[in-house]
Amino acid sequence: MSKRSINGTDFTAMVLTGADQLQQHAEHVNSLNVFPVPDGDTGTNMNLTMTAGANELRRNNTASVGQCAGVLSKGLLMGARGNSGVILSQLFRGFGRYAAQYDELNAQQFAAALQTGVDTAYKAVVKPVEGTILTVAKEAAKHAVYYARRNADVVELMTEVLAKAKEALAHTPELLPVLKQVGVVDSGGQGLVYIYEGFLQHLTSGAGGAPVFTPAPAPQAAAPAPQLRKEPAAVPAVPASAQSQLSTEDIEFLYDMEFFINRKLGAGPASVFDEDQFRKALSQNGDSIIVISDDDTIKVHVHSKAPGEVLNLALRFGEITQIHILNMREQHRELLTAGMDIAPMPELFADMPAETTSVPAPAVPPADDLAPFGFIAVSSGQGIADIFKSLGIDVVLSGGQTMNPSTEDFVNAIASISAGHIFILPNNSNIVLAAQQAKELLEGEREITVIPSKSIPQGIAAAFAFQEDEPVEANAENMLEAIQRVKSGQVTHAVRDTLYEELDIKAGQFIGISNSKIVAAAEDLLSACQALLSHMMVNGDEVVTVLKGEDSTPEATAQLSAWLKETYPEAEVEIHEGGQPLYYYLFSVEP
């Protein structure tokens, strides 16, 4: 089958088929995780990210490829989870920026859009690593640009793109030694190959229209909904909304408004959109303002006491669509009548995928009542969440390896905190990019600092280091120093045989991981814990914190405690209930 160009209908069908292909192979992508741990989640993250984009495109597709690419970009951006999901969203964000000017893409334009996507993704990653999804995308796009100069057929071009992507994927172990050592290809790159396979599958099938796409179900291991702090704590932030203690009349900006502005429809000739001026105008009679814009579409969320003025302002810049207005006083009265304490916040934009986590939103006080600081932390396990809340964390997002929060989860959490400056503790290396992406989306609107904590112990250490009487810069520096001092360790079990550095690991063995390196493997849990802690402890007089997982037993913990007391009598040992899944113990060691 030959095809000289693709329009919005073609692109939508390609994306939905690609999403379906990825969904079918998500577990295989998960299995390519370098560490043989039971929670490899690259496939899950990419699948949920792609599902968010596909669902958005299903609802808002048109015959224009530029408009469809923009819709996909927005869905992926807000639904992005994990590093692989964020990079995937950036690839198609760049693609969408290039395609925005076209209703159809020929072969050269399609190739150029792929290349723009690669450029955008590389800029989004502070230290790009070759041998990853970035390399696969780069090599495929580079070849696409070369091939499109000589061949104008889009189907043949996509065939070449897929072939080059597979070739680049096969080469990833040569670029990233740890892949070669373990005997796998890059998992994110494999996920992208599956998406490209779906693209080609539709182009060669000759099918008309978009295929049926079933949204991915939420993972079985998904943690409970995020929680807001209820008890007073050290951080001077506004506590979670206890609705029974709030007077209905105190809700000043009572109309919760969400809508889109279509810049291509209804705008007058002089409707130059200035995002900063638009926000300032909204703030005159509103707060909780979120504006996300590109050349064609503007997403708006605002709490306002003058909804008519908001809509009149918006009409200057285009046609208003998908309007949702909620009277929060009315909702508050209903909640009081029903005896409920915390009001559920509507999704930031009501047309986002259903699997997106929502965060309860407290009533927002006037600007002069804002707390100076607020905190968001990601936690895995109820015990760990309780520890964070006791340290003054305002919003605890349930997450970790088994379920990474999306960019939209962070955006919603930020919107729910009434504080002048917000610190985010991702507490997982695979969540940092999503937190950073949320910060960038709200640039100029909220003051946010992401502390790049990569483990639960680092996050706890950072929270301890915070001093409410210190300025933002000093606190950021203190927290960064704290996460560098702490050593993090975790014990789980291997799900497959692997050779990692000098360790010959067998499936079912217990493995100890220290600062992202497997340093111990043993047949029994206590031996793995002993080997890991012996590696982590240098002087023997450190402070050791043990967080018990949901699969740990009192007998194993008693044995571990006795060994620590006997082997390291000078160490200060604290043992707490963590409740984290899959990891029997989390350890932190500090001088």
Side-chain angles (χ1 to χ4, degrees):
M1 178 182 177
S2 177
K3 199 170 185 64
R4 305 288 291 187
S5 64
I6 60 169
N7 59 19
T9 302
D10 299 320
F11 182 73
T12 297
M14 291 165 64
V15 169
L16 298 190
T17 309
D20 184 62
Q21 186 76 355
L22 176 61
Q23 181 175 309
Q24 291 180 38
H25 296 91
E27 283 308 312
H28 175 240
V29 176
N30 282 340
S31 72
L32 297 175
N33 188 55
V34 171
F35 281 3
V37 292
D39 59 355
D41 61 353
T42 300
T44 299
N45 285 332
M46 293 187 74
N47 183 29
L48 290 174
T49 301
M50 197 66 185
T51 296
N55 285 344
E56 187 82 356
L57 193 52
R58 274 162 48 99
R59 286 187 290 266
N60 298 293
N61 63 84
T62 71
S64 167
V65 69
Q67 291 183 27
C68 287
V71 168
L72 175 66
S73 172
K74 292 180 179 66
L76 293 175
L77 191 68
M78 298 302 285
R81 299 174 188 268
N83 293 344
S84 55
V86 172
I87 292 172
L88 183 67
S89 73
Q90 292 297 321
L91 287 172
F92 283 103
R93 190 180 194 184
F95 185 103
R97 284 175 177 170
Y98 180 89
Q101 57 189 312
Y102 300 103
D103 289 331
E104 295 188 357
L105 293 177
N106 61 30
Q108 284 196 359
Q109 292 161 347
F110 184 83
L114 290 176
Q115 183 59 57
T116 306
V118 169
D119 296 340
T120 302
Y122 267 84
K123 289 177 182 177
V125 180
V126 177
K127 295 181 180 179
V129 176
E130 298 301 336
T132 64
I133 181 176
L134 288 169
T135 304
V136 175
K138 178 181 69 174
E139 293 300 319
K142 180 180 177 181
H143 182 68
V145 172
Y146 169 82
Y147 187 82
R149 293 174 186 155
R150 295 156 177 78
N151 193 305
D153 186 84
V154 176
V155 180
E156 292 184 17
L157 173 65
M158 194 65 231
T159 302
E160 289 290 318
V161 167
L162 176 59
K164 192 64 178 181
K166 288 182 175 179
E167 179 185 321
L169 177 66
H171 190 61
T172 54
E174 303 303 322
L175 299 174
L176 207 54
V178 67
L179 296 176
K180 188 172 186 179
Q181 185 179 40
V182 176
V184 296
V185 295
D186 177 67
S187 53
Q190 178 65 80
L192 183 63
V193 165
Y194 282 133
I195 293 171
Y196 286 171
E197 283 183 350
F199 284 12
L200 182 61
Q201 180 180 324
H202 173 76
L203 288 174
T204 55
S205 68
V212 175
F213 174 70
T214 304
Q220 293 295 319
Q227 303 175 18
L228 290 180
R229 187 184 70 205
K230 288 190 178 182
E231 66 277 15
V235 179
V238 178
S241 54
Q243 299 296 324
S244 60
Q245 300 176 21
L246 174 69
S247 170
T248 301
E249 287 67 31
D250 288 342
I251 302 176
E252 180 182 5
F253 303 108
L254 66 159
Y255 296 104
D256 185 342
M257 306 180 66
E258 304 165 341
F259 56 87
F260 289 74
I261 305 173
N262 188 324
R263 297 280 288 131
K264 287 191 172 183
L265 298 175
S271 62
V272 177
F273 181 72
D274 185 316
E275 191 168 312
D276 290 338
Q277 291 299 321
F278 185 69
R279 285 197 179 97
K280 288 179 182 178
L282 290 176
S283 67
Q284 291 180 7
N285 284 303
D287 64 3
S288 293
I289 299 165
I290 295 176
V291 179
I292 303 172
S293 65
D294 62 16
D295 293 340
D296 298 332
T297 307
I298 305 166
K299 287 185 176 182
V300 180
H301 172 271
V302 60
H303 292 174
S304 177
K305 56 185 177 183
E309 293 181 13
V310 171
L311 296 178
N312 285 334
L313 174 65
L315 283 169
R316 301 177 192 173
F317 306 106
E319 187 173 290
I320 301 174
T321 63
Q322 301 180 49
I323 305 172
H324 301 273
I325 302 178
L326 172 71
N327 185 324
M328 292 188 291
R329 287 184 184 174
E330 180 181 38
Q331 185 187 42
H332 184 256
R333 295 187 193 102
E334 292 174 355
L335 290 170
L336 292 179
T337 302
M340 294 178 64
D341 189 45
I342 296 180
M345 175 183 178
E347 291 180 354
L348 181 60
F349 298 106
D351 59 333
M352 287 292 136
E355 65 269 18
T356 300
T357 307
S358 61
V359 180
V364 181
D368 56 359
D369 288 342
L370 290 178
F373 300 109
F375 269 86
I376 298 169
V378 180
S379 167
S380 177
Q382 186 58 50
I384 295 171
D386 290 341
I387 291 172
F388 276 122
K389 286 187 283 185
S390 73
L391 294 173
I393 303 302
D394 297 280
V395 178
V396 179
L397 289 175
S398 297
Q401 286 300 105
T402 53
M403 178 53 127
N404 295 161
S406 68
T407 299
E408 188 178 15
D409 292 336
F410 282 112
V411 169
N412 285 343
I414 291 164
S416 76
I417 298 177
S418 303
H421 194 99
I422 295 174
F423 291 100
I424 301 179
L425 302 172
N427 301 333
N428 187 301
S429 60
N430 204 27
I431 299 176
V432 174
L433 277 183
Q436 290 282 10
Q437 186 157 270
K439 173 188 174 181
E440 291 169 8
L441 282 173
L442 302 177
E443 198 75 41
E445 180 180 336
R446 302 297 299 269
E447 294 183 10
I448 302 164
T449 298
V450 177
I451 303 297
S453 52
K454 297 180 180 179
S455 67
I456 295 295
Q458 285 188 353
I460 293 174
F464 265 116
F466 174 79
Q467 298 293 324
E468 61 182 272
D469 56 348
E470 294 283 348
V472 170
E473 295 76 11
N475 267 312
E477 184 177 343
N478 291 339
M479 287 189 279
L480 287 171
E481 289 179 358
I483 68 176
Q484 291 167 2
R485 285 196 307 268
V486 68
K487 297 178 183 177
S488 303
Q490 49 202 144
V491 177
T492 185
H493 63 272
V495 295
R496 67 170 186 270
D497 294 351
T498 192
L499 180 64
Y500 183 83
E501 295 188 350
E502 302 301 320
L503 292 173
D504 186 8
I505 302 170
K506 302 300 181 184
Q509 283 188 319
F510 295 94
I511 53 176
I513 303 170
S514 175
N515 290 344
S516 301
K517 288 187 64 176
I518 302 177
V519 299
E523 295 296 330
D524 64 279
L525 178 59
L526 181 60
S527 295
C529 292
Q530 291 172 344
L532 173 59
L533 285 167
S534 297
H535 175 86
M536 295 173 66
M537 299 182 71
V538 177
N539 300 317
D541 59 353
E542 293 94 339
V543 177
V544 181
T545 303
V546 181
L547 298 174
K548 299 182 293 182
E550 64 180 12
D551 294 324
S552 64
T553 65
E555 295 78 16
T557 303
Q559 290 177 332
L560 177 61
S561 177
W563 176 81
L564 278 168
K565 290 178 181 178
E566 179 182 349
T567 309
Y568 301 100
E570 301 300 319
E572 179 183 334
V573 179
E574 295 184 5
I575 299 177
H576 300 282
E577 196 69 49
Q580 69 273 5
L582 302 178
Y583 289 86
Y584 300 92
Y585 295 101
L586 299 180
F587 301 120
S588 71
V589 174
E590 299 180 70

